Amino acid sequence: MFDDGWFVTVVDRKSPKERIFLREGAAENSKGLKLIKVDKNADDYLKTTVVVNNGGRQITIGYNSADIKSSIAKATKVTSKPRTTNRPPIPSATKKPSVPTSGASTRRPRVRRTPTPPVPRSK
């Protein structure tokens, strides 16, 4: 639903790769189809139907739940391949030999800073 009315995409069963776009209030398309109304079901979207005018006949179109379920099953069966990127690997920290010298700590030594005396200010 848009501000100016309904916009519907219809899939033909005979040629499932072809999409037919219909807009409420628009004139007939090149195939002679015109969207009349949409009966929206607030509880279950699969029960929503569309009334289309096809050459003077009114046709009610709904969701084909069998096709939807089979396409979901196909989508979940696809195994995902590991992503390949052009990014270089993240470098890891190199291990240093873990042999401490006698009496030495394995921590890095602290940097010792000696305070500098303040410079006297002249008046």
Side-chain angles (χ1 to χ4, degrees):
M1 178 65 167
F2 289 103
D3 292 336
D4 58 345
W6 285 94
F7 186 80
V8 177
T9 304
V10 180
V11 179
D12 189 2
R13 284 187 182 178
K14 295 177 183 175
S15 54
K17 296 204 183 251
E18 183 181 344
R19 306 283 192 254
I20 302 167
F21 302 104
L22 303 173
R23 206 168 98 206
E24 190 175 33
E28 287 185 357
N29 65 1
S30 61
K31 296 186 181 211
L33 296 173
K34 180 180 179 182
L35 178 62
I36 304 296
K37 69 176 181 175
V38 176
D39 295 324
K40 181 182 175 187
N41 188 324
D43 297 330
D44 185 10
Y45 76 93
L46 290 174
K47 294 179 182 175
T48 299
T49 59
V50 176
V51 179
V52 176
N53 190 4
N54 183 13
R57 296 182 327 176
Q58 285 192 357
I59 302 170
T60 302
I61 301 173
Y63 284 99
N64 186 351
S65 59
D67 284 345
I68 293 172
K69 288 177 184 176
S70 68
S71 64
I72 290 172
K74 287 179 186 175
T76 55
K77 287 181 183 177
V78 175
T79 58
S80 62
K81 296 179 181 177
R83 292 185 181 184
T84 57
T85 60
N86 295 336
R87 294 168 45 189
I90 299 172
S92 60
T94 58
K95 287 190 173 185
K96 295 181 181 178
S98 62
V99 179
T101 57
S102 61
S105 171
T106 58
R107 277 186 3 194
R108 289 184 59 187
R110 223 172 63 199
V111 178
R112 305 213 184 256
R113 293 190 172 95
T114 57
T116 56
V119 178
R121 293 187 181 183
S122 60
K123 290 188 181 181

